[in-house]
Amino acid sequence: MTRFVDVRNMIRWTAARGPERIMADLIDYLEDDFRRWPSFDKTPRVASHTPFGVIELMPTSDHETYGFKYVNGHPSNPARGYQTVTAFGVLADVHNGYPTFLTEMTVLTALRTAATSAMVAKKLAQPDSRVMGMIGTGSQSEFQALAFRAALGIDTLRVWDTDRAAIDKFLRNMAPLGFDITVASSAADVVEGADVITTCTADKTNATVLTADMITPGVHINAIGGDCPGKTELDAEILRMGDVFVEFAPQTRIEGEIQQMPADFPVTEFWQVLNNTAPGRTSAGQITIFDSVGFAIEDFSALRYVRDSIEGSEYFETIDLVANPDDPKDLFGLVGALSPLGS
Amino acid sequence: MTRFVDVRNMIRWTAARGPERIMADLIDYLEDDFRRWPSFDKTPRVASHTPFGVIELMPTSDHETYGFKYVNGHPSNPARGYQTVTAFGVLADVHNGYPTFLTEMTVLTALRTAATSAMVAKKLAQPDSRVMGMIGTGSQSEFQALAFRAALGIDTLRVWDTDRAAIDKFLRNMAPLGFDITVASSAADVVEGADVITTCTADKTNATVLTADMITPGVHINAIGGDCPGKTELDAEILRMGDVFVEFAPQTRIEGEIQQMPADFPVTEFWQVLNNTAPGRTSAGQITIFDSVGFAIEDFSALRYVRDSIEGSEYFETIDLVANPDDPKDLFGLVGALSPLGS
């Protein structure tokens, strides 16, 4: 039998445990897996692109456990009442190939994306960072703010979005949470005094939400929204002003901000910084850029964490997802026994 | 909400409808999709290989509907009480990326594999074929026999397996079904007088269950078991004695019997034969070989068929697989509303 966490149980589990605590825990799981990065099967995600958006499968394995995520990205969805990104994920036992765990991942992807950003910023941003500028206050924004507080102590937010209703939603959700929040008057105004800049917009175009003149020495840029071919957020010049850190270079060159740059543009894979085998921040004035696209190993960490966390709890059901006859060579017996066969 | 067919409902549906009728219907769905083959997204499956076996994701899309199958192949599983192959599958709406249908596919893969073999043989085998020789009487064998009766009128079987218990299981399951069955004394004895030879063994090795001296003019060879790198069943010489038909050449060259041959070894993709744009059987003496490895479009056909067939029936439940908040930009509100947040 396969353990199954549906939307209701994911929401109940997240609410009961608390998103900020979950993301703090998730950073531990992510760091465990990033440290043993070379031991994972790594393949760029398998994407099916259409005029409306993209549907992707993101598999990985550590040779004990296999995991994959199904995820879509449809920028025009919110205008039609749907989520831009929905997802579900699976873990399986490599030894016999049986799926052991199935969970909704729309909420979980939001948690893991923010936790990944915070894990990276904890290592790359200036240690005394307190102020984050946020361009884009969509689905991912509140999670980013909470993760950055949990990991870095960010307590002051400057936010902006082209959609005023999205800003109001952000303010409403964040009001009880103790942040000092300023609504900026433009993207340029957002970055004023910011130690960290998070760009998280959803347009499926080569947009420029951040230009070179807005960048000050020492800032860490957490670029979330440029995450598929033809979808970027940063002025290419910014990428030359600082040092660019990525998850998995072969995938980021196709999907990230660096799709704007030549194939040999230098980048550092973050797992090496975490393992102290490549430099991270080397000076207070350095501009660091996390060109995040999301990688399968992050989903693997998130799936492991939820699987472990629900152990013994009431937050899952079991479902019978794959047939398993008593005699493994007698699959037909499962149906034959019930049926008056023949044409 | 996503419709979900679990193992119990798949077995009930299969038993109630009858496997032979299901496979006859499935051949119609398969032919519909093979005829419009160029309109599908086609990518070789994404495989994660381990010393124990393989786990694969098989996606495809016709630009209206997206589908994928999760499937494992673990040849040592039966000896440990597990199925060699288990699977589940998903359909999604390309327009918004939401998953609409989830089903067990262990039983369904057996049905679609046999239906695909029968669809191909109906076009390639000699029209008066009555006798099928079967090497391998594992999980797939009964389904093959019933599909070939439904599509070609095969009524006489000569069977052999290295596992006597598997032969006994086959005889027990087939006894009520009206076939004339002979247990052969060897693989060589199986082919005696056979119009069609089906090889369906599971060893993950380059085995030779069929040698060139066993092949007679006019026979159709339905080669099922050679379906991943390092796993073949046929003497390479056989492939040069006849004409080889495949599903999707780029995948079959990696996984099929023709992995033994040079990269330019001539093959014909079956959809062209079905559309009469490439020759199939051109003479009574011709040896035709279907080098089957299984392709994502076949699963897509099977998923479509089950989805359509359970409409209005009692054979499914609904599950809440992906979160869908009323305000699509307010994912956080789903959890925030329930939770006393903060660290």
Side-chain angles (χ1 to χ4, degrees):
Chain A
M1 300 290 275
T2 304
R3 291 185 176 191
F4 172 44
V5 178
D6 68 1
V7 172
R8 177 176 154 273
N9 274 325
M10 176 59 71
I11 290 171
R12 290 171 64 226
W13 171 79
T14 309
R17 205 169 180 90
E20 198 160 345
R21 176 177 162 204
I22 286 174
M23 290 189 288
D25 290 348
L26 244 178
I27 290 173
D28 293 337
Y29 272 72
L30 285 161
E31 287 181 342
D32 282 350
D33 289 339
F34 270 68
R35 286 205 181 89
R36 60 193 182 106
W37 189 266
S39 71
F40 281 91
D41 267 357
K42 285 173 289 293
T43 171
R45 65 185 108 201
V46 184
S48 174
H49 291 278
T50 73
F52 314 103
V54 62
I55 296 176
E56 301 173 331
L57 299 174
M58 301 169 66
T60 191
S61 164
D62 69 359
H63 306 285
E64 286 290 322
T65 304
Y66 171 94
F68 81 89
K69 180 168 79 168
Y70 167 104
V71 60
N72 75 301
H74 282 65
S76 62
N77 265 4
R80 304 180 297 160
Y82 302 110
Q83 280 288 113
T84 301
V85 172
T86 65
F88 65 89
V90 171
L91 291 177
D93 181 344
V94 162
H95 295 264
N96 64 9
Y98 279 40
T100 56
F101 183 57
L102 167 68
T103 179
E104 100 82 40
M105 284 190 83
T106 308
V107 174
L108 187 57
T109 295
L111 292 160
R112 79 86 159 119
T113 299
T116 302
S117 285
M119 167 186 70
V120 171
K122 191 171 65 146
K123 194 87 182 168
L124 293 179
Q126 300 202 77
D128 57 351
S129 295
R130 286 290 171 275
V131 181
M132 179 154 76
M134 301 184 70
I135 302 175
T137 57
S139 287
Q140 173 62 200
S141 56
E142 298 93 341
F143 296 94
Q144 287 281 337
L146 285 175
F148 274 73
R149 180 163 74 184
L152 283 86
I154 292 286
D155 57 15
T156 304
L157 305 174
R158 299 179 61 82
V159 301
W160 188 71
D161 197 291
T162 53
D163 176 2
R164 179 68 218 194
I167 297 178
D168 292 341
K169 176 241 21 175
F170 181 84
L171 295 175
R172 197 167 57 240
N173 283 333
M174 299 303 282
L177 303 180
F179 286 90
D180 177 354
I181 306 177
T182 301
V183 177
S185 57
S186 67
D189 186 38
V190 155
V191 307
E192 195 71 35
D195 304 304
V196 174
I197 304 169
T198 290
T199 56
C200 193
T201 61
D203 263 359
K204 196 177 178 181
T205 56
N206 292 116
T208 306
V209 303
L210 210 58
T211 52
D213 57 294
M214 292 154 65
I215 307 305
T216 50
V219 77
H220 174 70
I221 301 170
N222 174 40
I224 302 300
D227 63 355
C228 74
K231 181 164 177 274
T232 58
E233 294 181 316
L234 303 188
D235 187 347
E237 195 180 331
I238 295 174
L239 303 170
R240 282 184 288 257
M241 293 168 66
D243 293 297
V244 176
F245 300 84
V246 302
E247 290 139 317
F248 179 56
Q251 180 173 303
T252 310
R253 290 194 192 278
I254 296 167
E255 301 177 352
E257 297 298 333
I258 57 169
Q259 66 186 273
Q260 305 177 71
M261 309 307 276
D264 61 350
F265 180 77
V267 299
T268 302
E269 291 191 347
F270 178 74
W271 68 274
Q272 295 187 288
V273 179
L274 195 69
N275 282 339
N276 299 313
T277 55
R281 174 171 292 276
T282 52
S283 74
Q286 182 187 13
I287 293 159
T288 52
I289 301 151
F290 176 41
D291 185 1
S292 167
V293 297
F295 190 61
I297 292 173
E298 295 151 22
D299 300 307
F300 186 89
S301 308
L303 286 164
R304 280 203 306 118
Y305 172 56
V306 180
R307 180 199 63 192
D308 293 354
S309 172
I310 61 164
E311 179 76 27
S313 81
E314 55 177 317
Y315 299 120
F316 68 93
E317 306 158 75
T318 57
I319 58 172
D320 201 2
L321 189 56
V322 295
N324 194 24
D326 293 335
D327 173 358
K329 289 192 181 179
D330 194 9
L331 190 58
F332 188 79
L334 287 179
V335 292
L338 286 179
S339 174
L341 294 173
S343 46
Chain B
M1 301 290 275
T2 304
R3 291 184 176 190
F4 172 44
V5 178
D6 68 359
V7 172
R8 178 176 152 273
N9 274 325
M10 177 60 71
I11 290 170
R12 288 171 64 226
W13 170 79
T14 309
R17 206 168 179 89
E20 197 160 346
R21 176 176 161 204
I22 287 173
M23 291 189 287
D25 290 347
L26 244 177
I27 290 173
D28 293 337
Y29 272 71
L30 285 162
E31 287 181 340
D32 282 349
D33 289 340
F34 270 67
R35 286 205 182 91
R36 61 195 182 106
W37 188 266
S39 71
F40 281 90
D41 267 357
K42 286 173 287 294
T43 171
R45 65 185 108 201
V46 184
S48 175
H49 291 277
T50 73
F52 314 103
V54 64
I55 296 177
E56 300 173 330
L57 298 173
M58 302 169 67
T60 191
S61 165
D62 68 359
H63 307 285
E64 285 290 322
T65 304
Y66 171 93
F68 80 88
K69 180 168 82 169
Y70 168 104
V71 59
N72 76 300
H74 283 65
S76 61
N77 265 2
R80 303 180 298 160
Y82 301 111
Q83 280 288 113
T84 301
V85 172
T86 67
F88 65 90
V90 171
L91 291 177
D93 181 345
V94 162
H95 296 264
N96 65 6
Y98 279 40
T100 56
F101 183 58
L102 168 68
T103 180
E104 100 82 38
M105 284 190 81
T106 308
V107 174
L108 187 57
T109 295
L111 291 162
R112 80 85 159 118
T113 300
T116 302
S117 285
M119 168 186 68
V120 171
K122 190 171 64 145
K123 194 85 180 163
L124 293 179
Q126 301 204 74
D128 57 350
S129 294
R130 287 288 171 276
V131 182
M132 180 154 76
M134 303 184 70
I135 301 174
T137 57
S139 288
Q140 174 62 202
S141 55
E142 298 92 341
F143 296 95
Q144 287 281 338
L146 284 175
F148 273 73
R149 181 163 72 184
L152 284 86
I154 292 286
D155 57 15
T156 303
L157 305 173
R158 300 179 62 83
V159 301
W160 188 71
D161 198 291
T162 53
D163 176 1
R164 179 68 217 192
I167 296 178
D168 291 341
K169 176 238 26 170
F170 181 85
L171 295 174
R172 198 166 55 241
N173 283 333
M174 298 303 283
L177 303 181
F179 286 89
D180 176 355
I181 305 176
T182 301
V183 177
S185 57
S186 67
D189 185 36
V190 155
V191 306
E192 192 74 35
D195 305 302
V196 174
I197 303 170
T198 290
T199 57
C200 193
T201 61
D203 262 0
K204 196 178 178 180
T205 56
N206 292 115
T208 305
V209 303
L210 208 59
T211 51
D213 57 294
M214 291 155 66
I215 307 305
T216 49
V219 77
H220 175 69
I221 302 172
N222 173 39
I224 303 300
D227 62 355
C228 75
K231 181 165 177 275
T232 57
E233 294 181 317
L234 305 187
D235 187 346
E237 195 180 330
I238 294 175
L239 302 171
R240 283 185 287 258
M241 292 169 67
D243 293 295
V244 175
F245 300 84
V246 302
E247 289 138 318
F248 180 54
Q251 179 173 303
T252 310
R253 291 194 191 276
I254 297 167
E255 302 177 351
E257 297 298 332
I258 57 170
Q259 67 186 273
Q260 306 177 70
M261 310 307 277
D264 61 351
F265 180 77
V267 299
T268 302
E269 291 191 347
F270 178 73
W271 68 274
Q272 296 189 287
V273 179
L274 196 66
N275 282 338
N276 298 314
T277 56
R281 172 171 295 274
T282 50
S283 73
Q286 182 187 13
I287 293 160
T288 53
I289 302 152
F290 177 40
D291 185 1
S292 168
V293 297
F295 190 61
I297 294 174
E298 295 151 22
D299 300 308
F300 187 88
S301 309
L303 286 163
R304 281 203 306 120
Y305 172 56
V306 179
R307 181 199 62 190
D308 294 353
S309 171
I310 61 163
E311 179 76 27
S313 81
E314 56 179 318
Y315 299 121
F316 68 93
E317 307 158 75
T318 57
I319 57 171
D320 201 2
L321 189 57
V322 296
N324 193 24
D326 293 334
D327 173 357
K329 289 192 181 178
D330 194 9
L331 190 58
F332 188 78
L334 287 179
V335 293
L338 285 178
S339 173
L341 294 173
S343 46

